[in-house]
Each structure stands twice: as C-alpha cells, then as structure tokens.
Amino acid sequence: MGETGQDPLPDVDSAVEAARAAFRRGSVWRQMDAVSRGRLLSKLADLIERDRVVLATLETMDTGKPFLQAFFIDLEGCIKTLKYYAGWADKVQGKTIPVDENFVCFTRHEPVGVCGAITPWNFPLLMLIWKMAPALCCGNTLVAKPAEQTPLTSLYMGSLVKEVSQ
C-alpha cells in the first residue's frame, strides 16, 4: 500500500519541537480559552463523522478488521470520545478550599506540556483518540507515534486536525 519513514529519530525530534513551540507561552494554543478548545474537539468529531467511510476503510486496510466493525465500533467510539471531552474542556478547573477561618487554599489545574501517545496496531485510531482527546481538552500538546504496521488512520487524522485548526 505504501511506505512510511524508516529513520524516525529526526521526525521525532522535529515533532517534539513543534509541540513544544505550540505549547510556549504566548502561542495561539496557550492563549486559547477552554471553550474554544472544546469547540475544536467537537469540530474534529464532526470531521470524523463526515469522513467516517474513508477512516473505516483505512482502518480495515491497516488492521485487517472487518469494515463494519471499524465503521460501527471504532469510529463511533472515536466520535463519542471527542464529543465527551469537548464537553469537559471548560469544566476542568481548580478549587478554593477553606483551611481555617482566615485562610483559603487555591488549586489550579494547568496543562503539563507535550504528551506522547504511542498507539498499538490492533486499535490504532480509537486508541489515538483515547489519548488525544483528554490531552488536548486540558490544553496540552501531543506527539503521536502510531504502530509502524498501522499508520494510515493516524496520518489521515493529522490532516483532519490541520483542517480543524484553519
């Protein structure tokens, strides 16, 4: 069907650097509010729904699983997961905890930075979304490393993420 890169080290380095740049203070991603992140995740779910046949076909070609399983189980799980985390994006927040009558303790939930997502060959797309959605929901950036046997749906997801961001 095709070939992907054979020497992953330069690709990994450039992907991590791009994710770090996207996470730097002042970047568009870091300045984006939680509601907007939720909208982007919801839009990504809509694009997956739009391209569901293509993604199910790629998942079938990649893994050898039946098309109907990819279409009704894997893709449905991806869409539901993205919609779920889209709804959580503006609900992840800190707390104000009374310590005694004159003091309070403030907690703040902040993104941690670049997250790595390594996905297996048997559920490449669904596992990617299970890792991607919570990371992006909370404001982190992500570097995905699909299994070398099943890269097609991850590559296609990259194009959908790019489409969402435009």
Side-chain angles (χ1 to χ4, degrees), residues 113-124:
V114 178
C115 298
I118 301 172
T119 56
W121 65 269
N122 55 345
F123 281 93

Side-chain angles (χ1 to χ4, degrees), residues 119-131:
T119 56
W121 65 269
N122 55 345
F123 281 93
L125 182 58
L126 188 55
M127 294 291 277
L128 174 62
I129 297 300
W130 284 353
K131 295 168 187 233

Side-chain angles (χ1 to χ4, degrees), residues 10-165:
D11 293 339
V12 170
D13 291 342
S14 64
V16 170
E17 185 50 43
R20 282 184 180 147
F23 190 73
R24 283 194 187 102
R25 289 198 188 281
S27 70
V28 173
W29 181 250
R30 281 294 290 272
Q31 292 180 337
M32 185 178 297
D33 61 72
V35 172
S36 297
R37 285 197 312 269
R39 281 193 200 115
L40 289 177
L41 289 173
S42 184
K43 187 175 176 186
L44 183 58
D46 293 341
L47 293 179
I48 290 174
E49 180 70 46
R50 180 195 73 191
D51 294 355
R52 193 173 185 165
V53 171
V54 173
L55 282 161
T57 301
L58 289 172
E59 195 78 339
T60 296
M61 291 167 57
D62 254 357
T63 64
K65 68 175 60 177
F67 175 83
L68 293 177
Q69 179 182 351
F71 188 87
F72 287 112
I73 296 172
D74 296 24
L75 273 296
E76 186 68 19
C78 290
I79 294 163
K80 286 181 176 181
T81 299
L82 283 166
K83 294 281 186 181
Y84 175 82
Y85 283 102
W88 268 106
D90 61 349
K91 294 164 189 68
V92 177
Q93 49 196 284
K95 298 178 180 178
T96 304
I97 306 162
V99 180
D100 66 29
E101 63 184 62
N102 294 323
F103 297 96
V104 293
C105 174
F106 296 97
T107 65
R108 182 174 169 175
H109 294 190
E110 295 183 348
V112 295
V114 178
C115 298
I118 301 172
T119 56
W121 65 269
N122 55 345
F123 281 93
L125 182 58
L126 188 55
M127 294 291 277
L128 174 62
I129 297 300
W130 284 353
K131 295 168 187 233
M132 177 191 295
L136 298 180
C137 165
C138 293
N140 297 293
T141 57
L142 185 86
V143 174
K145 194 279 181 200
E148 62 189 30
Q149 301 87 350
T150 55
L152 298 179
T153 50
S154 295
L155 291 170
Y156 196 86
M157 280 301 300
S159 70
L160 293 183
V161 168
K162 187 174 180 180
E163 185 177 341
V164 163
S165 66

